[in-house]
Amino acid sequence: MSTEVGTDLPAAPAVPAVPAAPAGRRGGGEAAVTEAFAVALPVGRWSTDPAIIDAHRLDRSGWIPPGRPLGVAFAREVADVQSVLRVASARGVPVIVRGAGTGLAGGAAAGAGTVVLDLTGMNRIRELSVADAVAVVEPGVITADLDAAARQVGLSYPPDPASASISTIGGNIATNAGGLRCAKYGVTRESVLGLEVVLADGEVITTGRRTVKGVAGYDLTGLLVGSEGTLGVVVGATVRLRPLPRATVTLAGYFDTALAAVDAVTALTAAGIVPAIAELLDERTVRAVDAATGSTLATHGAVFLLVQTDGAGATAEADEAQAILAARARAVHRSTDDATAEPLLAARRAALPSLERLGRPLIEDIAVPRSQLATAIARVTDIAAATGVDIYTLAHAADGNLHPIIVVDPASPELPPAAWHAAEQIFELALELGGTITGEHGIGILKRRWLATELGSHSHDLQRRLRAAFDPTGILNPGRGL
Amino acid sequence: MSTEVGTDLPAAPAVPAVPAAPAGRRGGGEAAVTEAFAVALPVGRWSTDPAIIDAHRLDRSGWIPPGRPLGVAFAREVADVQSVLRVASARGVPVIVRGAGTGLAGGAAAGAGTVVLDLTGMNRIRELSVADAVAVVEPGVITADLDAAARQVGLSYPPDPASASISTIGGNIATNAGGLRCAKYGVTRESVLGLEVVLADGEVITTGRRTVKGVAGYDLTGLLVGSEGTLGVVVGATVRLRPLPRATVTLAGYFDTALAAVDAVTALTAAGIVPAIAELLDERTVRAVDAATGSTLATHGAVFLLVQTDGAGATAEADEAQAILAARARAVHRSTDDATAEPLLAARRAALPSLERLGRPLIEDIAVPRSQLATAIARVTDIAAATGVDIYTLAHAADGNLHPIIVVDPASPELPPAAWHAAEQIFELALELGGTITGEHGIGILKRRWLATELGSHSHDLQRRLRAAFDPTGILNPGRGL
């Protein structure tokens, strides 16, 4: 559950409280602790300035933990991260790791007694190898910058969370970020071959490899991806690049109902078509986008479905997809050039900003088995009706990932109970349909209450033991993730 | 390192000895231990018959551990696995988990004091959902049977280790098996969405999910895949199915040298073509296949490269690939039907059996970054020359995975030191080139000595702590994997 940046969402009763850690549990008073970090880091890489702290303590969840962190460490190199974690381990100080702060689940929101470790200064693309189709990057590289660099040499970095132009690859790795192209190209996990990681005790390990295949030892790379900074701090990543698709065809389908659009996506996949993108905006969202941007989507049809095919078979797949859409849609428009495709993609990207104009959005992020997508959308509509809250639904339709966005009155200082109640029903719905409470945004702080229900207590306990094996003193993002 | 089934390869000095566990460390004598298993399991699911034990105690590595296991448990349902692990945990009895016994690294070779847990009786496809494009299977399902069932409904299960017709999905998961189609479709890991696992204490957990996306908690699914039975016993798997490719085009390229064939593969990938298959047989292997099968590959060219493109763009990609191959090859043949493609695939599949006619094969399994493939092949030739052993090289060329196969005189009761020396140099070569000692076969028993070198001691120690978090009493495949 998440709201956008800048809101001052107070803790709601449904969210478990995270105890504020006392400054320096084992290391003396606050002054001694901050002095230890200042001494351990090169000049200019540690700040206790309240304005600087305030600028680096929140993410886009809207969650504001009580109290102010002790300081911010600005890492520029691996040794800085080692220094921070060594001091933190020795003194028992919780470290909240952050990239660009675009997370939607509160994972980077830092409160009293913590230290913020900012990795945005580690933003070099260390290597870009065309021959091996890999890049080696530091965690602070902006994801879209990596893709742009790859495109200059005929390759691409496919994972594209909607935040790609502002989020970092390190944050994407921490949350195993998804995005629009997952059905065809997988989530971040499928593009990460190996990691360089500083463990809680300050030691550096490398995981994985530069090769596509390799089975020596356990898959620590996969375990670290999506672990929300709780197992170690990623200071380098070897990522897989893919050939830049030769051709891309974009189809805009306009439907009378969301169910008709879902039926079209079902028919696409039943036909063996693997779209690179299949984005659905429901009727309310379409109207909001039109109102905000001046677009005229609704004049073609109530519900918008954006489909892209790409690669050597793009045209053939698009021909077939167009026929499938046309049989169910009010209208289908086809684009094979950037000039006409870009406004369609822009409409999808405008969805969230358009909703922000209407109120304070809480972005849910459930995923359900593909066959349950229509049911999920219909049931979300029922939940909105029963609770009386406004819910707008976007979906990565080809992989069953829905974003029901609850929009509440921004004038209300606290989230209304009805909004929390709707969110809880959405989580229960996801689990009932065999899905998950989070497809791509992560648990962070805001979904911890529901995690054990999804995992089961045995798995949850086991995962906590794993966490302790990595971080026995519990300094890494305590209260986040598990 | 591995030899084929039926050889009686003795322990070589380079392989670390695995201590034979005393029967029932904490549980009384051998008779009491075997009685405990007999009582815990339904009638007919436990055997101490020496002939039955001998038929279920080896894999295809050729490794024969000293002594005979205490008995074999034949699991038919989840409860049987729970019973075995509960008794084993209570009495401290090592459990060696086996599927079809086709592993090449000694992971399923069981010695004195152990109990064999055979999962081949759990071989039902519980569900095959076209709508969700998933199958839910038990671990004893033969991999090719799963693919065949999927194909009947227009889907496929892409991972295809060369053993697919005889190996089980459980074994494939335990080793994170690769195969021919990995460059395009990924290894087993990329096709496993969720697992049902019995932990060492007999508790059952489920990991992952039925959805393509999901980030609730750590990726235990990925951690378990490739863990060689050391973290838990997989009793069920939800696997992802893919659309059956519409078209497949097969190209057979015949080259004067392996380097020319590698250059062609490099040019393919540089052109953005993602072949489904790119299999290389070196000159010695081509001659062995011709001699064994009566094929005439060598009349077209010394080195054989089999390339397949598939999907909606198969023809367009094949057109381009054919031109790239033709510019470097002595001859290129094209096939668009099964009748003419099958003999080409059969030639690839015949490679190992052809080498078995010549002696005792030790199958190495290194992977190197794609740019290092040509260097790796050349250096393996140098190693053969320097050590005087016969080495035949196959390669999954598009993902840098080589199988240099050392063939030794079968009359010799022990592996000659030169063969061990060559194997060691091949491992060192892989690491020197930035690769791995095992691309897809696993560590098992036979590569444990080199594992810490590849992982580094910190990562190795961490992985052992993880293992202990799953299996604190160390009953699961002790001495295997890590």
Side-chain angles (χ1 to χ4, degrees):
Chain A
M1 177 175 319
S2 12
T3 68
E4 283 305 288
V5 69
T7 61
D8 54 349
L9 174 65
V15 175
V18 176
R25 291 198 295 265
R26 297 190 297 272
E30 187 172 314
V33 169
T34 58
E35 176 67 14
F37 285 105
V39 167
L41 288 165
V43 172
R45 300 186 190 174
W46 171 254
S47 177
T48 56
D49 179 332
I52 301 251
I53 291 174
D54 285 347
H56 294 85
R57 60 168 296 223
L58 299 180
D59 62 16
R60 290 183 71 129
S61 67
W63 167 265
I64 303 183
R68 180 179 278 150
L70 300 172
V72 183
F74 294 96
R76 308 281 299 178
E77 52 198 305
V78 174
D80 296 341
V81 176
Q82 293 181 279
S83 297
V84 168
L85 296 192
R86 283 187 184 128
V87 172
S89 273
R91 293 174 175 267
V93 179
V95 176
I96 307 299
V97 190
R98 76 181 281 116
T102 61
L104 295 166
T114 67
V115 161
V116 174
L117 173 55
D118 182 298
L119 299 172
T120 53
M122 295 181 70
N123 61 353
R124 290 174 305 165
I125 297 176
R126 289 187 203 154
E127 184 193 350
L128 204 160
S129 166
V130 175
D132 287 338
V134 301
V136 182
V137 298
E138 293 182 344
V141 171
I142 298 292
T143 305
D145 290 349
L146 169 59
D147 186 45
R151 283 172 186 265
Q152 289 188 346
V153 294
L155 296 168
S156 70
Y157 177 71
D160 66 334
S163 62
S165 65
I166 53 171
S167 63
T168 64
I169 186 74
N172 291 182
I173 290 170
T175 55
N176 192 13
L180 276 58
R181 300 196 198 107
C182 300
K184 182 163 186 175
Y185 294 103
V187 292
T188 297
R189 168 69 192 95
E190 273 76 51
S191 288
V192 179
L193 297 173
L195 295 172
E196 184 181 2
V197 178
V198 182
L199 299 177
D201 63 4
E203 292 290 345
V204 177
I205 63 168
T206 58
T207 73
R209 49 196 62 82
R210 192 182 171 94
T211 56
V212 178
K213 288 159 88 174
V215 293
Y218 299 144
D219 182 9
L220 293 190
T221 307
L223 188 65
L224 283 151
V225 174
S227 65
E228 304 192 36
T230 63
L231 301 180
V233 178
V234 171
V235 291
T238 302
V239 300
R240 182 178 185 174
L241 304 175
R242 312 266 179 169
L244 195 58
R246 305 289 182 79
T248 301
V249 181
T250 305
L251 302 172
Y254 302 90
F255 297 80
D256 286 337
T257 66
L259 299 191
V262 170
D263 184 57
V265 174
T266 302
L268 286 184
T269 53
I273 295 168
V274 182
I277 289 178
E279 294 292 309
L280 185 154
L281 306 188
D282 78 351
E283 185 169 358
R284 296 175 66 98
T285 309
V286 164
R287 287 203 303 267
V289 169
D290 280 349
T293 69
S295 60
T296 57
L297 300 175
T299 62
H300 305 296
V303 171
F304 180 56
L305 178 68
L306 182 68
V307 171
Q308 276 193 342
T309 59
D310 69 8
T315 300
E317 286 194 306
D319 290 347
E320 198 169 351
Q322 186 166 359
I324 288 170
L325 265 58
R328 294 158 178 87
R330 183 166 288 278
V332 181
H333 300 163
R334 177 170 178 145
S335 163
T336 55
D337 61 88
D338 285 351
T340 53
E342 186 46 39
L344 299 169
L345 287 161
R348 164 61 184 85
R349 287 194 211 105
L352 189 55
S354 301
L355 298 180
E356 287 172 337
R357 289 161 44 108
L358 302 178
R360 181 189 301 169
L362 282 82
I363 307 168
E364 299 308 340
D365 171 42
I366 62 173
V368 296
R370 226 160 53 182
S371 62
Q372 302 299 316
L373 182 59
T375 302
I377 290 175
R379 293 275 296 276
V380 166
T381 303
D382 294 346
I383 290 169
T387 56
V389 300
D390 286 338
I391 305 183
Y392 301 73
T393 296
L394 325 177
H396 308 301
D399 46 28
N401 187 193
L402 287 76
H403 296 306
I405 300 177
I406 301 168
V407 178
V408 302
D409 181 355
S412 167
E414 299 207 355
L415 274 181
W420 287 107
H421 195 50
E424 190 149 34
Q425 288 185 42
I426 289 170
F427 294 148
E428 288 166 357
L429 170 65
L431 297 179
E432 178 193 330
L433 297 180
T436 175
I437 60 174
T438 177
E440 57 183 9
H441 293 171
I443 294 297
I445 273 186
L446 298 177
K447 287 182 197 142
R448 293 189 86 210
R449 174 174 170 171
W450 293 274
L451 181 61
T453 305
E454 176 167 339
L455 297 182
S457 62
H458 271 99
S459 179
H460 197 215
D461 291 347
L462 175 61
Q463 298 198 24
R464 290 182 170 196
R465 293 203 300 278
L466 297 185
R467 182 172 184 167
F470 274 87
D471 179 19
T473 59
I475 61 161
L476 289 173
N477 282 11
R480 278 73 180 167
L482 287 184
Chain B
M1 178 175 320
S2 14
T3 69
E4 284 304 288
V5 68
T7 62
D8 54 350
L9 175 64
V15 175
V18 177
R25 292 198 295 264
R26 297 190 297 272
E30 187 172 314
V33 170
T34 58
E35 176 66 14
F37 285 105
V39 167
L41 288 165
V43 172
R45 301 187 189 173
W46 170 255
S47 176
T48 55
D49 179 332
I52 301 253
I53 291 174
D54 285 346
H56 294 84
R57 60 168 296 222
L58 299 181
D59 62 15
R60 289 183 70 130
S61 66
W63 167 266
I64 303 184
R68 179 179 277 150
L70 300 171
V72 183
F74 294 95
R76 307 282 299 180
E77 53 198 306
V78 174
D80 296 340
V81 175
Q82 294 182 278
S83 297
V84 168
L85 296 192
R86 283 186 184 128
V87 173
S89 274
R91 294 175 175 267
V93 179
V95 177
I96 307 299
V97 190
R98 74 181 283 119
T102 61
L104 294 166
T114 67
V115 161
V116 175
L117 174 54
D118 182 298
L119 299 172
T120 53
M122 296 181 69
N123 61 353
R124 290 174 306 166
I125 297 176
R126 290 187 202 154
E127 183 192 350
L128 204 160
S129 165
V130 176
D132 287 339
V134 300
V136 182
V137 298
E138 293 182 343
V141 170
I142 299 292
T143 305
D145 291 349
L146 169 59
D147 186 45
R151 283 171 186 265
Q152 288 188 347
V153 295
L155 297 169
S156 70
Y157 177 71
D160 65 335
S163 63
S165 65
I166 52 172
S167 63
T168 64
I169 187 73
N172 291 182
I173 289 168
T175 55
N176 192 13
L180 275 58
R181 301 196 198 106
C182 301
K184 183 163 186 175
Y185 294 103
V187 293
T188 297
R189 167 70 192 94
E190 272 76 51
S191 288
V192 179
L193 296 173
L195 295 172
E196 184 181 4
V197 179
V198 181
L199 299 177
D201 63 4
E203 292 292 343
V204 177
I205 63 168
T206 58
T207 72
R209 49 196 62 82
R210 193 183 170 93
T211 56
V212 178
K213 289 158 88 173
V215 293
Y218 298 144
D219 181 9
L220 294 190
T221 307
L223 188 65
L224 283 151
V225 174
S227 65
E228 304 192 35
T230 63
L231 301 179
V233 178
V234 171
V235 292
T238 302
V239 299
R240 181 177 185 174
L241 305 175
R242 312 268 178 167
L244 196 58
R246 304 291 181 77
T248 301
V249 181
T250 305
L251 302 172
Y254 302 91
F255 296 80
D256 287 336
T257 65
L259 299 190
V262 171
D263 184 57
V265 174
T266 303
L268 286 183
T269 53
I273 296 168
V274 182
I277 288 179
E279 294 291 309
L280 185 154
L281 306 188
D282 77 351
E283 186 168 357
R284 296 175 65 97
T285 310
V286 165
R287 287 204 303 266
V289 169
D290 280 351
T293 70
S295 61
T296 56
L297 301 175
T299 62
H300 305 299
V303 171
F304 180 57
L305 178 69
L306 182 69
V307 170
Q308 277 193 341
T309 59
D310 69 8
T315 300
E317 286 194 305
D319 290 347
E320 198 169 350
Q322 187 166 358
I324 288 170
L325 266 56
R328 292 158 180 86
R330 183 166 287 277
V332 181
H333 300 162
R334 179 172 178 144
S335 162
T336 56
D337 61 89
D338 286 350
T340 54
E342 185 48 39
L344 299 170
L345 288 161
R348 165 61 184 84
R349 287 193 211 106
L352 189 54
S354 301
L355 298 181
E356 287 172 338
R357 289 162 43 109
L358 303 178
R360 181 188 301 168
L362 281 84
I363 307 168
E364 298 308 340
D365 171 41
I366 63 173
V368 296
R370 226 160 53 182
S371 62
Q372 302 299 316
L373 182 60
T375 301
I377 290 175
R379 293 275 297 276
V380 167
T381 305
D382 294 345
I383 290 170
T387 56
V389 300
D390 286 337
I391 305 182
Y392 302 73
T393 296
L394 326 177
H396 307 302
D399 45 28
N401 187 194
L402 288 75
H403 295 308
I405 300 177
I406 301 169
V407 179
V408 301
D409 181 357
S412 168
E414 300 209 353
L415 275 181
W420 288 106
H421 195 49
E424 190 150 34
Q425 288 186 42
I426 288 170
F427 293 148
E428 288 167 358
L429 170 65
L431 297 179
E432 178 194 329
L433 296 179
T436 175
I437 60 174
T438 176
E440 58 184 8
H441 294 170
I443 294 296
I445 273 187
L446 298 178
K447 287 182 198 142
R448 294 187 86 209
R449 175 172 169 172
W450 293 274
L451 180 61
T453 304
E454 176 168 339
L455 297 182
S457 62
H458 271 98
S459 179
H460 197 215
D461 291 347
L462 174 61
Q463 298 199 25
R464 290 184 170 194
R465 293 204 299 278
L466 297 185
R467 183 171 183 167
F470 275 87
D471 178 20
T473 59
I475 61 161
L476 288 173
N477 283 9
R480 277 75 181 167
L482 286 184

